[in-house]
Amino acid sequence: MSIKDIFETMDYGPAPEAAGEALDWIARHEGGFGQFINGDFTAPGALFETKNPATGEVLAQVSQASDADIAAAVKAARTAQGKWEKAGGKARARVLYALARLVQKHARLFAVLETLDSGKPVREARDIDVPLVARHFYYHAGMAQLMEAELPERAALGVCAQVIPWNFPLLMLAWKVAPALAMGNTVVLKPAEYTPLTALLLAELCVQAGVPKGVLNVLTGDGAVGAALVADEGVDKVAFTGSTEVGRRIREATAGQGKALTLELGGKSPFLVFEDADIDSAIEGLVDAIWFNGGQVCCAGSRLLVQEGIADTFLTRLKTRMENLRIGDPLDKCIDMGAIVDPVQLERIQSLVAGTSAEVFQPGPAPQGCFYPPTLITGLSSSDALMQEEIFGPVLVAMTFRTPAEGLALANDTRYGLAASIWSENINTALDLAPKLQAGVIWVNGTNMFDAAAGFGGLRESGFGREGGWEGLMAYTRPAATRKALKPQEPYSGKPGAADGLDRTAKLYIGGKQARPDGGYTRTVWGKSGAVLGEVPVANRKDLRNAVEAAHAAKGWSATTGHLRAQILYYLAENLEARAPEFAAKLDALHGDRHGKTEVEAAISRLFTYAAWADKYAGDLRAVPIRGMALATRQPVGVIGALCPDEAPLLGLISTLAPAIAMGNRVVLAASQVGPLVATDLYQVLDTSDVPSGVVNILTGSHAELAPVMAAHMDIDAVWSFSSTDLSATIEKASAGNLKRTWVNNAKARDWFGPEGEGREFLDAATEVKTIWVPYGA
């Protein structure tokens, strides 16, 4: 096309980016790469090809890591970790700063290499991915600098295994590596099989930046390498970004190993457009939401929900815009959509679209090769597979809605919960819906906004944990204090007999009412002296089901104000104090000592602590580089199932209950197996303290029997285990069904009377961080 042709047609002319520098870098390695272990590349081993998706040409030969390579990388990371952590945050900050500078200096090389390897448009790699990579290393250099001052009671986790996907190879690396190194951890990174080259380039630059040997190691290969790395006993933390299916397998594989785990998984994000939206702006936002990176984005706005009044106009304009999207050579800076990463992924997209009977609009055929055109599918119902399943390609599915309430219901009608976009010129509409959307990230009149200061991550089957911000940083730390081994607490035993006084039948507490156990069984509770103290019901799975239903019926508790929750917790403390002698006497009779008063006083104090926190732990405002704001809001997890401590029957129950309900959750509590009668007496206090029905539900029975049912229950959002029976493996494995959050003790004891028994660790577990991006208007 000549310059004259361009002016006459007003079409975009080609603007190719030269690939010479990137290809020269590959050539300097003789076209083949080994593993990057302990600061150097190993000799290439069993090789596989990495190809340019746009052309099918082989870029390089990359090695399949062996078991010996994995062991060597983990060993190198373990050897380097102690010294790297002891170097201190300020020393680590200088190294991360140097790495950020090197990313900027080699920005063009990174962008071209990323495009060659992944097929994404070079304009996106150059203008979005690489600047964000540098931003993450700069931001976390600052976090390292501040660590000793701001996080004096936190320590590094140790060796981190990080497995990253092929859609954002370099950016996902930075999201994980930067916070891990900042906090003093060492890393063994496994890039995707399709896209390993930018990870290898960054590893090479680490030497130049002064990263000590063994601090960052890179292993290349297929999924088997990632699976072996995740399972390695020398790993302390696993961070994974990828499909929900693989994330579920990782949760099962790591169950009971004591490894920290964060999962950033799939999505089917809603893109809500209201009648008062700026239609042209919303369409441009939609182009970025679903056709950015060819739709190969976990948070892609792949479900268009448009209000009926503007649906026809919106879809007509959208089709016109789709006809003007440019598809082709990713190295052309005028291209909007590049290649699909691999023929396997292309075939998956094609098969999913071919299987629908709905109306499919494509503006024209894609170029020959590994390309797929922008696609719009209409005429679907919310239950159709294409509305529910992640396609991971440039395919948009659309529905209409009438009212905001219907739009919200359709948006939340998914098992995922990663991101959502709201388009409306009415700020009241936007900010009313944002907290109600079941997603970890909400964009108002925008989409695909990311920053190192703002946490990113999902709910439900989109995983758990956050990347970015303070919450992402904390995921790479642990309490500095060493905890003692857990000692199982067996219930006291004795001879059959009668309790003193009239027989009083303890019951379960479900939905604000006393309930007999479904199974009809009870068990005797003895004190340490062998005296019979009473009997308690034995709860089964049906009792648990009823308790969960009651908790869901009390969802209005999550919408109450922190001030109201604080008042109820204060009232609960007041009423518990009124009966303090009675509870102290029961604890003394149980344990055969005179420490009951101390435990009751500690429990009352703990209620005051969380009453104080109830209206103060709401989130904060993040300094992100936009003309607007990112609100990091703290929201309740939902329904929490918890196994209460055996060693402190009253204090442990209060320490579990109070932070959860202070943050707006509803709880199903399995009381102490040693002293359950204290819990069955507590519901009398709950009844007189204005705690709404269903907010607190108390079961008594075997933790070992209740734990797997709790963990597998699809309507429980999180499970905590403080039981003296180590049920960590059981809970973590069973929780993979709906990928609920778990907080287990991993056979480590907790001092319930000391600082370990309260504080931010409990508040963090009781909340999800939802990031709401609100750009300012013109």
mmCIF file of all heavy atoms in Angstrom, residues 95-114:
data_model
loop_
_atom_site.group_PDB
_atom_site.id
_atom_site.type_symbol
_atom_site.label_atom_id
_atom_site.label_comp_id
_atom_site.label_asym_id
_atom_site.label_seq_id
_atom_site.Cartn_x
_atom_site.Cartn_y
_atom_site.Cartn_z
ATOM 1 N N VAL A 95 17.996 -4.134 44.953
ATOM 2 C CA VAL A 95 18.052 -5.128 43.881
ATOM 3 C C VAL A 95 16.789 -5.061 43.023
ATOM 4 O O VAL A 95 16.854 -5.109 41.783
ATOM 5 C CB VAL A 95 18.240 -6.540 44.472
ATOM 6 C CG1 VAL A 95 18.137 -7.599 43.389
ATOM 7 C CG2 VAL A 95 19.583 -6.634 45.191
ATOM 8 N N LEU A 96 15.633 -4.963 43.663
ATOM 9 C CA LEU A 96 14.386 -4.879 42.910
ATOM 10 C C LEU A 96 14.303 -3.587 42.101
ATOM 11 O O LEU A 96 13.782 -3.574 40.974
ATOM 12 C CB LEU A 96 13.195 -4.971 43.862
ATOM 13 C CG LEU A 96 12.960 -6.357 44.471
ATOM 14 C CD1 LEU A 96 11.937 -6.278 45.583
ATOM 15 C CD2 LEU A 96 12.511 -7.346 43.419
ATOM 16 N N TYR A 97 14.840 -2.515 42.661
ATOM 17 C CA TYR A 97 14.891 -1.254 41.918
ATOM 18 C C TYR A 97 15.761 -1.413 40.668
ATOM 19 O O TYR A 97 15.387 -0.969 39.572
ATOM 20 C CB TYR A 97 15.441 -0.149 42.815
ATOM 21 C CG TYR A 97 15.683 1.164 42.092
ATOM 22 C CD1 TYR A 97 14.622 2.016 41.819
ATOM 23 C CD2 TYR A 97 16.959 1.533 41.681
ATOM 24 C CE1 TYR A 97 14.838 3.216 41.147
ATOM 25 C CE2 TYR A 97 17.183 2.721 41.010
ATOM 26 C CZ TYR A 97 16.114 3.568 40.741
ATOM 27 O OH TYR A 97 16.325 4.743 40.072
ATOM 28 N N ALA A 98 16.897 -2.060 40.818
ATOM 29 C CA ALA A 98 17.778 -2.280 39.666
ATOM 30 C C ALA A 98 17.090 -3.136 38.608
ATOM 31 O O ALA A 98 17.228 -2.888 37.398
ATOM 32 C CB ALA A 98 19.076 -2.950 40.126
ATOM 33 N N LEU A 99 16.319 -4.117 39.052
ATOM 34 C CA LEU A 99 15.610 -4.975 38.106
ATOM 35 C C LEU A 99 14.531 -4.180 37.372
ATOM 36 O O LEU A 99 14.329 -4.353 36.155
ATOM 37 C CB LEU A 99 14.992 -6.154 38.861
ATOM 38 C CG LEU A 99 14.520 -7.353 38.046
ATOM 39 C CD1 LEU A 99 15.592 -7.858 37.100
ATOM 40 C CD2 LEU A 99 14.085 -8.469 38.977
ATOM 41 N N ALA A 100 13.829 -3.292 38.083
ATOM 42 C CA ALA A 100 12.831 -2.438 37.436
ATOM 43 C C ALA A 100 13.472 -1.560 36.369
ATOM 44 O O ALA A 100 12.919 -1.394 35.265
ATOM 45 C CB ALA A 100 12.128 -1.569 38.483
ATOM 46 N N ARG A 101 14.630 -1.011 36.683
ATOM 47 C CA ARG A 101 15.332 -0.165 35.717
ATOM 48 C C ARG A 101 15.758 -0.960 34.485
ATOM 49 O O ARG A 101 15.659 -0.473 33.358
ATOM 50 C CB ARG A 101 16.568 0.461 36.377
ATOM 51 C CG ARG A 101 16.255 1.459 37.466
ATOM 52 C CD ARG A 101 15.701 2.755 36.914
ATOM 53 N NE ARG A 101 16.714 3.524 36.226
ATOM 54 C CZ ARG A 101 16.470 4.433 35.277
ATOM 55 N NH1 ARG A 101 15.225 4.659 34.913
ATOM 56 N NH2 ARG A 101 17.439 5.110 34.695
ATOM 57 N N LEU A 102 16.207 -2.175 34.682
ATOM 58 C CA LEU A 102 16.618 -3.000 33.549
ATOM 59 C C LEU A 102 15.434 -3.361 32.663
ATOM 60 O O LEU A 102 15.567 -3.447 31.434
ATOM 61 C CB LEU A 102 17.326 -4.264 34.043
ATOM 62 C CG LEU A 102 18.756 -4.055 34.544
ATOM 63 C CD1 LEU A 102 19.265 -5.301 35.259
ATOM 64 C CD2 LEU A 102 19.675 -3.697 33.367
ATOM 65 N N VAL A 103 14.270 -3.597 33.271
ATOM 66 C CA VAL A 103 13.074 -3.853 32.465
ATOM 67 C C VAL A 103 12.766 -2.645 31.588
ATOM 68 O O VAL A 103 12.442 -2.788 30.396
ATOM 69 C CB VAL A 103 11.867 -4.183 33.373
ATOM 70 C CG1 VAL A 103 10.557 -4.175 32.574
ATOM 71 C CG2 VAL A 103 12.056 -5.546 34.026
ATOM 72 N N GLN A 104 12.890 -1.458 32.153
ATOM 73 C CA GLN A 104 12.653 -0.252 31.354
ATOM 74 C C GLN A 104 13.690 -0.085 30.246
ATOM 75 O O GLN A 104 13.353 0.268 29.112
ATOM 76 C CB GLN A 104 12.654 0.976 32.256
ATOM 77 C CG GLN A 104 11.430 1.078 33.151
ATOM 78 C CD GLN A 104 11.438 2.336 33.995
ATOM 79 O OE1 GLN A 104 12.463 2.725 34.556
ATOM 80 N NE2 GLN A 104 10.277 2.977 34.126
ATOM 81 N N LYS A 105 14.941 -0.360 30.559
ATOM 82 C CA LYS A 105 15.999 -0.206 29.561
ATOM 83 C C LYS A 105 15.830 -1.171 28.395
ATOM 84 O O LYS A 105 16.204 -0.865 27.261
ATOM 85 C CB LYS A 105 17.364 -0.429 30.222
ATOM 86 C CG LYS A 105 17.788 0.676 31.172
ATOM 87 C CD LYS A 105 19.118 0.336 31.831
ATOM 88 C CE LYS A 105 19.531 1.391 32.847
ATOM 89 N NZ LYS A 105 20.798 1.035 33.540
ATOM 90 N N HIS A 106 15.287 -2.330 28.679
ATOM 91 C CA HIS A 106 15.119 -3.353 27.639
ATOM 92 C C HIS A 106 13.653 -3.538 27.276
ATOM 93 O O HIS A 106 13.250 -4.624 26.832
ATOM 94 C CB HIS A 106 15.717 -4.677 28.118
ATOM 95 C CG HIS A 106 17.194 -4.620 28.358
ATOM 96 N ND1 HIS A 106 18.125 -4.735 27.342
ATOM 97 C CD2 HIS A 106 17.904 -4.432 29.500
ATOM 98 C CE1 HIS A 106 19.336 -4.646 27.855
ATOM 99 N NE2 HIS A 106 19.237 -4.457 29.155
ATOM 100 N N ALA A 107 12.861 -2.476 27.444
ATOM 101 C CA ALA A 107 11.417 -2.573 27.248
ATOM 102 C C ALA A 107 11.060 -3.027 25.838
ATOM 103 O O ALA A 107 10.157 -3.860 25.645
ATOM 104 C CB ALA A 107 10.756 -1.235 27.551
ATOM 105 N N ARG A 108 11.755 -2.485 24.838
ATOM 106 C CA ARG A 108 11.423 -2.850 23.456
ATOM 107 C C ARG A 108 11.715 -4.317 23.202
ATOM 108 O O ARG A 108 10.932 -5.022 22.559
ATOM 109 C CB ARG A 108 12.238 -1.982 22.499
ATOM 110 C CG ARG A 108 11.629 -1.781 21.138
ATOM 111 C CD ARG A 108 10.443 -0.843 21.214
ATOM 112 N NE ARG A 108 10.002 -0.437 19.898
ATOM 113 C CZ ARG A 108 9.219 0.611 19.674
ATOM 114 N NH1 ARG A 108 8.819 1.331 20.692
ATOM 115 N NH2 ARG A 108 8.823 0.918 18.454
ATOM 116 N N LEU A 109 12.840 -4.785 23.695
ATOM 117 C CA LEU A 109 13.205 -6.190 23.517
ATOM 118 C C LEU A 109 12.166 -7.104 24.185
ATOM 119 O O LEU A 109 11.735 -8.101 23.591
ATOM 120 C CB LEU A 109 14.592 -6.442 24.105
ATOM 121 C CG LEU A 109 15.078 -7.897 24.140
ATOM 122 C CD1 LEU A 109 15.106 -8.498 22.745
ATOM 123 C CD2 LEU A 109 16.463 -7.981 24.790
ATOM 124 N N PHE A 110 11.758 -6.761 25.398
ATOM 125 C CA PHE A 110 10.746 -7.560 26.078
ATOM 126 C C PHE A 110 9.433 -7.584 25.296
ATOM 127 O O PHE A 110 8.804 -8.638 25.140
ATOM 128 C CB PHE A 110 10.482 -6.997 27.480
ATOM 129 C CG PHE A 110 11.397 -7.539 28.540
ATOM 130 C CD1 PHE A 110 12.283 -6.708 29.204
ATOM 131 C CD2 PHE A 110 11.364 -8.878 28.890
ATOM 132 C CE1 PHE A 110 13.128 -7.203 30.190
ATOM 133 C CE2 PHE A 110 12.199 -9.387 29.867
ATOM 134 C CZ PHE A 110 13.085 -8.548 30.531
ATOM 135 N N ALA A 111 9.011 -6.411 24.799
ATOM 136 C CA ALA A 111 7.731 -6.326 24.087
ATOM 137 C C ALA A 111 7.750 -7.166 22.816
ATOM 138 O O ALA A 111 6.793 -7.905 22.528
ATOM 139 C CB ALA A 111 7.414 -4.869 23.760
ATOM 140 N N VAL A 112 8.816 -7.070 22.051
ATOM 141 C CA VAL A 112 8.887 -7.834 20.795
ATOM 142 C C VAL A 112 8.983 -9.323 21.081
ATOM 143 O O VAL A 112 8.318 -10.142 20.431
ATOM 144 C CB VAL A 112 10.080 -7.345 19.954
ATOM 145 C CG1 VAL A 112 10.256 -8.232 18.717
ATOM 146 C CG2 VAL A 112 9.881 -5.897 19.531
ATOM 147 N N LEU A 113 9.800 -9.697 22.044
ATOM 148 C CA LEU A 113 9.952 -11.118 22.375
ATOM 149 C C LEU A 113 8.627 -11.697 22.886
ATOM 150 O O LEU A 113 8.262 -12.825 22.532
ATOM 151 C CB LEU A 113 11.055 -11.284 23.417
ATOM 152 C CG LEU A 113 11.513 -12.716 23.704
ATOM 153 C CD1 LEU A 113 12.113 -13.358 22.467
ATOM 154 C CD2 LEU A 113 12.530 -12.723 24.843
ATOM 155 N N GLU A 114 7.895 -10.924 23.699
ATOM 156 C CA GLU A 114 6.597 -11.367 24.189
ATOM 157 C C GLU A 114 5.624 -11.572 23.034
ATOM 158 O O GLU A 114 4.857 -12.550 23.003
ATOM 159 C CB GLU A 114 6.034 -10.333 25.175
ATOM 160 C CG GLU A 114 4.822 -10.792 25.940
ATOM 161 C CD GLU A 114 5.175 -11.632 27.159
ATOM 162 O OE1 GLU A 114 6.151 -12.403 27.106
ATOM 163 O OE2 GLU A 114 4.478 -11.522 28.169
#
